[in-house]
């Protein structure tokens, strides 16, 4: 078994070319990943997303927020070209907000460190978030923002016991996470 971390669209391309046997990918509630014919898909979890703000931010401590509350804030986001960066830009513009993308970091913990330093706000998915650093407040979004996580493989690989076993193990892990923080809801 070898692990390769790539963007969701690249995973789909590599699956189609036979370079990968199986991928765990994500897409967003308002920006689904295009999955071509001939691919099988098993939903694993829905990951709710909050907004991370500096602890002294005007929205810190609120019960919930709207993305429009951050129209004048700088955002910490993923690097351009990444699926999640493109999603954030699309989502903010769809709500009439021209995003001020001030800082870019690929890892959530780095994004949260930038938020803690007071350099902006960030999308904060619950799945795999880990400990929130001091100086950061997490605020739920009123209109729930969700990422969908699922396994994807070529349909012609269904007959392979290894594919069936991995898909079953991923489904079991999603349904019964070892460290349940209420972060994801298995489907």
């Amino acid at each position: 078994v070898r692990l390769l971390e790539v963007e969701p669209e690249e995973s789909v391309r590599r699956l189609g070319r036979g370079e990968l046997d199986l991928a765990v990918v994500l897409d967003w509630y308002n920006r689904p990943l295009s999955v071509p014919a001939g691919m099988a898909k098993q939903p694993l979890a829905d990951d709710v997303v909050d907004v991370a703000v500096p602890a002294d931010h005007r929205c810190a401590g609120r019960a919930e927020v709207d993305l429009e509350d951050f129209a004048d804030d700088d955002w910490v986001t993923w690097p351009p070209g990444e699926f999640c960066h493109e999603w954030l830009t699309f989502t903010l513009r769809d709500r009439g907000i021209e995003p001020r993308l001030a800082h870019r970091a690929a890892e959530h913990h780095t994004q949260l460190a930038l938020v803690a330093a007071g350099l902006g706000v960030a999308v904060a998915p619950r799945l795999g978030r880990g400990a929130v650093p001091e100086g950061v407040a997490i605020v739920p979004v009123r209109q729930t923002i969700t990422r969908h996580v699922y396994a994807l493989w070529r349909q012609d690989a269904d007959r392979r016991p290894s594919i069936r076993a991995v898909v079953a193990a991923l489904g079991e892990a999603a349904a019964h996470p070892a460290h349940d923080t209420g972060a994801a809801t298995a489907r």
Side-chain angles (χ1 to χ4, degrees), residues 51-57 59-61 112 115 122 124 132-139:
V51 177
V53 300
D56 62 353
H57 190 276
C59 292
L112 292 177
V115 171
V132 175
E134 204 171 307
V136 174
I138 302 295
V139 187

Side-chain angles (χ1 to χ4, degrees), residues 26-96:
L26 64 87
D27 64 11
W28 293 89
Y29 72 102
N30 62 342
R31 195 77 179 218
L33 180 65
S34 178
V35 178
M39 297 283 176
K41 179 177 171 179
Q42 173 65 49
L44 299 173
D46 286 340
D47 183 17
V48 175
V49 176
D50 302 310
V51 177
V53 300
D56 62 353
H57 190 276
R58 69 189 178 286
C59 292
R62 288 181 45 190
E64 55 188 13
V65 293
D66 294 307
L67 288 179
E68 291 81 0
D69 294 330
F70 305 101
D72 296 324
D73 284 285
D74 287 340
W75 282 87
V76 178
T77 184
W78 297 266
E82 288 194 17
F83 190 69
C84 292
H85 173 91
E86 304 306 324
W87 167 81
L88 180 63
T89 303
F90 167 81
T91 299
L92 292 174
R93 286 180 177 154
D94 190 52
R95 294 180 184 217

Side-chain angles (χ1 to χ4, degrees), residues 12 16 34-40 153-155:
V12 171
S34 178
V35 178
M39 297 283 176
W153 66 97
R154 289 180 313 283
Q155 285 177 339

Side-chain angles (χ1 to χ4, degrees), residues 121-182:
V121 301
V123 170
R126 294 179 185 175
L127 185 63
R129 183 186 304 159
V132 175
E134 204 171 307
V136 174
I138 302 295
V139 187
V141 178
R142 186 177 334 276
Q143 297 171 334
T144 303
I145 297 173
T146 308
R147 300 187 312 172
H148 308 291
V149 182
Y150 50 91
L152 188 65
W153 66 97
R154 289 180 313 283
Q155 285 177 339
D156 62 2
D158 271 339
R159 66 185 182 281
R160 294 175 51 200
S162 58
I163 296 294
R164 290 193 313 269
V166 171
V167 171
L170 289 169
E172 181 65 23
H176 302 97
H179 177 49
D180 186 3
T181 61

